[in-house]
Every structure is written in C-alpha cells, then in structure tokens.
Amino acid sequence: MFFPFFAGYGLYILFSLPALLLGLWAQAKVKSAFNKYSRIRSYQGLTGAEVARKMLSANGLYNVQVEQVNGFLSDHYDPAKKVLRLSPQIYQGNSIASAGVAAHEAGHALQDQNAYFPLQIRSFMVPSVQIGSWLGPIIFIIGLLLANPLGTQLAWAGLILFGATALFTIVTLPVEFDASNRAKAWLSTSGIVSQQEMTGVKKVLDAAALTYVAAAIQAVTTLLYYAFLLLGRPRRA
Ligand SMILES: [Zn+2]
C-alpha cells in the first residue's frame, strides 16, 4: 500500500530539491540584503510610514490608512479594509530598505485603485487557497491509500484542490513584480531616494521577488509530483 510513496520518494527529491534550494538561497538573499540596507539611512531620512503616506497621497489615495503591525517583514496591504500595514522596522525605520518595502506595499494599494487584473484574480482566489493548501494534500493521500475507484476520485479531487494553490502562487508573480516596479518608479522620480540609493532598493525588492518565484516553482513541482504518483500507481479497479 505504501509502495507509491517509496517509489515516489526519489522522484520527489528530484522534482523538489532544485526548487527547495532556490527557495533557501532566495531567503538568504533577502535576509542579507535587508540586513545591509536596513542599516543605511536614506539621505532624506523619511520613515517607511512617511514614504508610504507620500506615495499614497501623491496618487490621490487619501482614504488608505497606514498602520503599524507586529512581526518581522509582516508588511502587507489589505484591499478589503483599505489599510496598509507596516512592520515596526519598516514603519519607524528611515533606511533605504524601509523606503523600498513601504513603497512596494503602497504599490499594492495603487494596483487596487487601478483595478489591476492579476490582483483581482489573486484576491478572488484567497478563500479557495486557504482551504486547498492543506485540505488538498490530505484528501489526495487518503484517496491514494484507499486504492479503489472512489479513492482515485478522491485523489483527483485533492490534486485539483492543491492545483488552485499552485495557480495562486503563479498569479502572485505579476502582482509582486508590478508592485515593486511601481515602487521603484515612484521612489526614483519623486526624489525620495537618490539614484545611488536605488541600487539598495532594487537589491532588497529583487531578492524578495525571487522568494515568490521559488514558492511558485515549489508549488508547481509538488503538483507534478502528486500527478506522477496518481498516474503511476498500480490500478486495482
Ligand atoms: Zn507584495
């Protein structure tokens, strides 16, 4: 009964190891870029909260509030409540990294204002992903263990549920890249950071973008692994 898991183990490593290594590398890059540029004060010395406020107001988004939220790099924009929440290091910090992250989050608010299509799809998918990311694999494994036609149907249902999670990580890519592009464009044209400082902003934001690429590759390779397990299992119908 456990045969598919053993047979698939080597396959899983083959599929997932490159994505896993890319993910770890990307996370190390974010950490080192953030550590470096969160220690360098921007020449204007604005806090992340001030940078976000300026970028929002410059685009007419006076209704979007900027608040502080606990956690490390827990920064996010809430499209439902129209609130931009920044972690203490970003909210209070006046570094190049703070400016970059704050402007990136404000970039998400701008996407919301412009009804940016990938953001709309992403928001629409959130509820199904919250369920599918954990329920999908559980249903899939139960289906695989049952080893009967009902089990096969269950396994496919689990696979499709988890597929929504993989799709979500792909839809996230244009959303994140676009928010960073909006941040870079505004930071350089508004003169909030100097051209020299833009190098640091780019390093922080590009490293963060790479973590999303790694997450998408991980989700897709996991999905493919599930599909191989299901298609390659012995049939006992
Ligand atoms: Zn983002």
Side-chain angles (χ1 to χ4, degrees), residues 104-105 108 175-176 179 212:
H104 169 94
E105 296 308 329
H108 285 308
V175 177
E176 294 304 330
Y212 288 106

Side-chain angles (χ1 to χ4, degrees), residues 76-149:
H76 63 275
Y77 169 67
D78 181 341
K81 298 213 169 93
K82 312 280 177 214
V83 175
L84 207 155
R85 300 193 185 94
L86 300 175
S87 61
Q89 254 185 304
I90 303 300
Y91 189 93
Q92 299 168 19
N94 58 6
S95 68
I96 296 172
S98 305
V101 174
H104 169 94
E105 296 308 329
H108 285 308
L110 262 60
Q111 291 174 335
D112 187 23
Q113 178 192 35
N114 304 151
Y116 179 66
F117 191 52
L119 180 74
Q120 291 181 315
I121 304 176
R122 192 179 182 276
S123 304
F124 176 74
M125 288 182 78
V126 167
S128 60
V129 169
Q130 277 168 345
I131 301 167
S133 59
W134 62 271
L135 192 63
I138 292 174
I139 292 181
F140 178 80
I141 289 167
I142 292 172
L144 219 56
L145 289 175
L146 279 179
N148 61 29

